[in-house]
Amino acid sequence: MVEGPIGPTARHMALLITVAAAAVATAAAVIAFALPGAPRTTPAPEPPRTPPSQAASAAPASEPEIDVGTPVRLRIPRIGVDAPVVPVGVTPAGHMDTPKGGEKTGWYAHGPEPGDEGSAVIAGHSGLRSGPAVFDELVEVEPGDRLYVVDDEGTAIEFRVREIRTYDWDAKPPDVFTSDEGSHLNLVTCTGSWDAAAGTHSDRLVVFADVVLP
């Protein structure tokens, strides 16, 4: 387990979480979530896509009874993703760091490992002007889809998508990096139109998933 899990502590709740999409000699796409609890400057997010058949099972899962290791690979069968996972931390500016290159995903290593108690966060680039990126098709994922994180021991941990939310780029969603109970995996990327003035896309797509216990 990585030290310093994300939770409602003063240090972590004070982070301005930003994921910047790097592109050589091009504008970068930025995934940003501002300080939870601060005033909003844009409208509220759209309602989540959660089918009625899953309404009764949308509550957080119980504490998982599984051993987890460091994530090394993410698989999303619906959209054909089978990508490396690399640990990322915090930049000197206090933002979540980003993986180098559009083909990798970045796991926030100061938070829980996928499958451990809490909300693990994996971010990936999309919409890069320099070429294809790992989460270009993440918008196609639906509630009920299965996700798999393979750890450094070769164990595949299964998650089921609970809901998908779209936030404004400057939204402050506290449930992306924190949770009250259960084991969760949240995937983050940018979406929407390009805002040249802000230097980022207009929206953030977050896929919320819960662990499937063995």
Side-chain angles (χ1 to χ4, degrees):
M1 176 62 192
V2 175
E3 293 183 0
I6 282 292
T9 64
R11 181 169 70 87
H12 288 110
M13 293 299 282
L15 292 178
L16 172 64
I17 304 299
T18 303
V19 181
V24 178
T26 62
V30 177
I31 305 168
F33 287 120
L35 177 65
R40 291 185 54 85
T41 59
T42 49
E46 68 178 31
R49 303 199 304 258
T50 304
S53 61
Q54 291 189 16
S57 60
S62 332
E63 182 176 351
E65 298 178 356
I66 54 177
D67 294 326
V68 298
T70 301
V72 296
R73 201 151 198 94
L74 172 68
R75 295 172 180 158
I76 311 176
R78 175 179 283 275
I79 59 175
V81 166
D82 186 353
V85 178
V86 297
V88 297
V90 181
T91 69
H95 303 160
M96 180 178 170
D97 207 350
T98 177
K100 304 299 187 262
E103 77 284 358
K104 298 177 182 178
T105 63
W107 160 62
Y108 185 61
H110 294 295
E113 293 163 332
D116 210 344
E117 182 79 5
S119 291
V121 179
I122 294 179
H125 301 309
S126 64
L128 294 180
R129 298 184 181 183
S130 57
V134 63
F135 280 171
D136 280 343
E137 306 301 324
L138 191 64
V139 68
E140 301 299 328
V141 170
E142 296 288 346
D145 284 352
R146 302 301 172 106
L147 318 173
Y148 302 88
V149 176
V150 180
D151 68 18
D152 55 353
E153 297 295 328
T155 300
I157 303 166
E158 183 178 355
F159 296 84
R160 182 175 62 195
V161 175
R162 171 172 25 99
E163 61 181 356
I164 298 94
R165 289 180 178 267
T166 302
Y167 296 92
D168 299 313
W169 74 268
D170 62 347
K172 306 153 186 72
D175 51 349
V176 173
F177 286 83
T178 64
S179 61
D180 292 332
E181 60 180 356
S183 174
H184 313 283
L185 174 65
N186 301 331
L187 308 180
V188 183
T189 195
C190 59
T191 188
S193 58
W194 177 256
D195 185 336
T200 181
H201 285 83
S202 59
D203 301 311
R204 305 293 168 260
L205 182 72
V206 183
V207 174
F208 293 89
D210 304 319
V211 74
V212 177
L213 298 179

